[in-house]
Amino acid sequence: MLPGRPFGSREHAPAVAEWFHRAGVVRIVLSLGAYGVYYSSDGEAGWMDALPVDVVSVNGAGDALMAGLAYGFLHAIPFVDTVRFALACAAMTLTCHDNCHPHLSAAAVGALLQRTAAGTMADGRAVALPPAA
């Protein structure tokens, strides 16, 4: 919740992002959990759905999303690809009881994205992930 600015649905996201842009924030990723994220930067803006996984625990998913964003920024990955990578980090974490999936790595996230054709299963099934320890 932002002071004086509603944010609880997809419809609010563009206005919230614009508020942050006017305040000087260049890259914005607003998470609505299972409903995905709204991203906005340099004229690129839109929704990206969460990857379909069988959720075991939500603990650590937001942290994994942030770690994926940081990884992408530090490695100069294009913004939209960074958001996609971050969503896959969160998806992996959602599938285990730990705060961080024990197999979370750039290689594992890359493999997940390749298996899911950038995050979407053609038949709507949940993404198959490596087993948690």
Side-chain angles (χ1 to χ4, degrees):
M1 178 80 161
L2 298 170
R5 178 112 2 235
F7 182 54
S9 72
R10 290 174 72 108
E11 293 77 30
H12 297 138
V16 170
E18 183 56 33
W19 182 86
F20 278 109
H21 284 309
R22 283 195 309 271
V25 180
V26 177
R27 293 182 185 123
I28 298 163
V29 178
L30 303 170
S31 175
L32 277 173
Y35 300 105
V37 298
Y38 183 80
Y39 60 91
S40 180
S41 177
D42 298 326
E44 294 180 289
W47 281 97
M48 199 171 294
D49 291 331
L51 274 69
V53 295
D54 293 324
V55 176
V56 172
S57 172
V58 298
N59 290 336
D63 294 338
L65 180 78
M66 289 302 298
L69 292 171
Y71 180 90
F73 296 151
L74 289 171
H75 289 86
I77 298 170
F79 182 59
V80 173
D81 293 335
T82 292
V83 174
R84 189 172 291 115
F85 181 89
L87 280 170
C89 290
M92 283 189 71
T93 298
L94 288 167
T95 65
C96 72
H97 291 287
D98 298 328
N99 288 354
C100 182
H101 195 287
H103 301 294
L104 184 62
S105 68
V109 172
L112 170 61
L113 288 171
Q114 284 184 333
R115 286 195 316 269
T116 62
T120 39
M121 297 290 283
D123 62 2
R125 287 180 297 119
V127 175
L129 298 172

